[in-house]
Amino acid sequence: MPLLSDQDRKALETRFKKDLKRDVNMTLYTVRNVGGLILPGRECPTCPQTEQFLTEVAAASRRLHLTVKDVFADVDDAREHGIERVPCITLHGEGEESDNLLFYGIPAGYEVLTLIEDIIAASKGTSTLQHSTRKALHRLETPVHLQVFVTPT
């Protein structure tokens, strides 16, 4: 059963057709079940729904490309990209070397809009921050690790 309604899927198709400027690579780091077997310490109750949701989102545009990686099967890759938890979605626009955006957790509720806006921003290769903010950030001399937390309350 699809997670996106026909109306939501059509709205995404329209939005992506209008706003995606270049291809976007999405990578989902997840834990995959093997025949329904879940090993202790490797539980991820939201991973299957996250994969289904991203598959449906990726189907809304030919500019979106989804790769799914199991963190236990691709340990070196997950470590190289700094993946600390699952599910984790990384995004980067075509031609970019690295995934500069990591989205942890299932995109549900208000987080769906956040993820869609992140996909569009990755496709444009620009930020919606004010010019003065971008200018100040450009002057930073050391890397900054920024985390934004969203809670349903």
Side-chain angles (χ1 to χ4, degrees), residues 22-29 65-69 76-83 88-104 118 122 144-146:
R22 60 183 176 157
D23 289 12
V24 174
N25 295 309
M26 303 183 295
T27 302
L28 171 62
Y29 289 89
H65 310 284
L66 176 62
T67 303
V68 179
K69 296 187 177 189
D76 293 336
D77 184 70
R79 189 176 299 126
E80 179 183 328
H81 287 91
I83 307 306
C88 179
I89 305 160
T90 66
L91 302 172
H92 70 271
E94 181 180 35
E96 292 178 5
E97 294 288 321
S98 66
D99 302 318
N100 57 5
L101 189 141
L102 281 70
F103 186 106
Y104 284 106
D118 290 341
V144 175
H145 180 84
L146 178 66

Side-chain angles (χ1 to χ4, degrees), residues 13-148:
E13 289 172 354
T14 301
R15 179 81 192 275
F16 287 155
K17 186 175 183 178
K18 175 182 162 231
D19 290 336
L20 292 181
K21 304 303 179 196
R22 60 183 176 157
D23 289 12
V24 174
N25 295 309
M26 303 183 295
T27 302
L28 171 62
Y29 289 89
T30 186
V31 175
R32 289 222 160 126
N33 295 344
V34 179
L37 178 66
I38 300 172
L39 298 175
R42 295 187 178 186
E43 302 92 352
C44 180
T46 60
C47 283
Q49 294 88 352
T50 303
E51 183 174 349
Q52 180 182 350
F53 176 74
L54 288 179
T55 300
E56 292 178 28
V57 168
S61 175
R62 62 179 177 75
R63 289 194 172 271
L64 298 177
H65 310 284
L66 176 62
T67 303
V68 179
K69 296 187 177 189
D70 185 302
V71 293
F72 295 106
D74 297 306
V75 175
D76 293 336
D77 184 70
R79 189 176 299 126
E80 179 183 328
H81 287 91
I83 307 306
E84 299 172 356
R85 296 176 295 284
V86 292
C88 179
I89 305 160
T90 66
L91 302 172
H92 70 271
E94 181 180 35
E96 292 178 5
E97 294 288 321
S98 66
D99 302 318
N100 57 5
L101 189 141
L102 281 70
F103 186 106
Y104 284 106
I106 185 170
Y110 292 117
E111 292 83 22
V112 170
L113 296 175
T114 302
L115 180 65
I116 299 306
E117 292 301 322
D118 290 341
I119 291 169
I120 291 168
S123 80
K124 292 179 179 178
T126 60
S127 169
T128 58
L129 294 173
Q130 293 182 356
H131 180 70
S132 59
T133 303
R134 289 195 312 262
K135 196 172 177 180
L137 291 172
H138 187 68
R139 290 193 301 266
L140 293 175
E141 295 179 10
T142 58
V144 175
H145 180 84
L146 178 66
Q147 297 183 59
V148 177

